[in-house]
Amino acid sequence: MGKTIFIKEIVSILNEPRLCLTCQKEDRLEKNIVREERSNGKTILCTRCETLIVITNHNLKKVELSSTKDDIIMLKEPHLIRKVGY
């Protein structure tokens, strides 16, 4: 049994950011731990603020998340899905 991954916010963006878009830190970014099945985009998880960054050009309204390992993914309610463009 793997660990439990909590996600409070999901952010979709076109280009890979250097910092987390929510907490503006880079020390707890983990790449490709969680897969987003609908857009097939790369993902970055910030374990500090529990934000999942999906690098895709799709407009995400509903997400299908799966883990690359045997981890459990828990979406905190209410979770926020937003698109950032710059």
Side-chain angles (χ1 to χ4, degrees):
M1 184 95 168
K3 63 182 180 178
T4 302
I5 300 171
F6 292 101
I7 297 175
K8 189 185 304 181
E9 182 178 9
I10 300 171
V11 178
S12 66
I13 191 167
L14 293 175
N15 300 320
E16 184 172 344
R18 295 180 55 209
L19 300 174
C20 174
L21 301 171
T22 304
C23 66
Q24 299 296 316
K25 307 274 187 200
E26 64 176 333
D27 59 341
R28 291 206 190 157
L29 295 179
E30 300 178 12
K31 294 185 178 184
N32 294 323
I33 291 180
V34 178
R35 271 193 314 263
E36 204 292 306
E37 302 292 337
R38 288 186 181 213
S39 67
N40 207 11
K42 287 176 48 180
T43 59
I44 301 171
L45 178 68
C46 178
T47 55
R48 173 187 301 274
C49 63
E50 299 173 339
T51 298
L52 180 68
I53 302 167
V54 180
I55 303 165
T56 182
N57 59 356
H58 296 285
N59 191 7
L60 299 177
K61 297 208 185 304
K62 292 184 180 178
V63 291
E64 290 181 23
L65 302 176
S66 63
S67 174
T68 56
K69 300 176 184 173
D70 192 24
D71 298 335
I72 299 169
I73 300 170
M74 302 285 291
L75 287 175
K76 289 189 172 180
E77 291 292 333
H79 58 276
L80 176 66
I81 301 176
R82 65 182 172 117
K83 183 175 178 109
V84 175
Y86 48 83

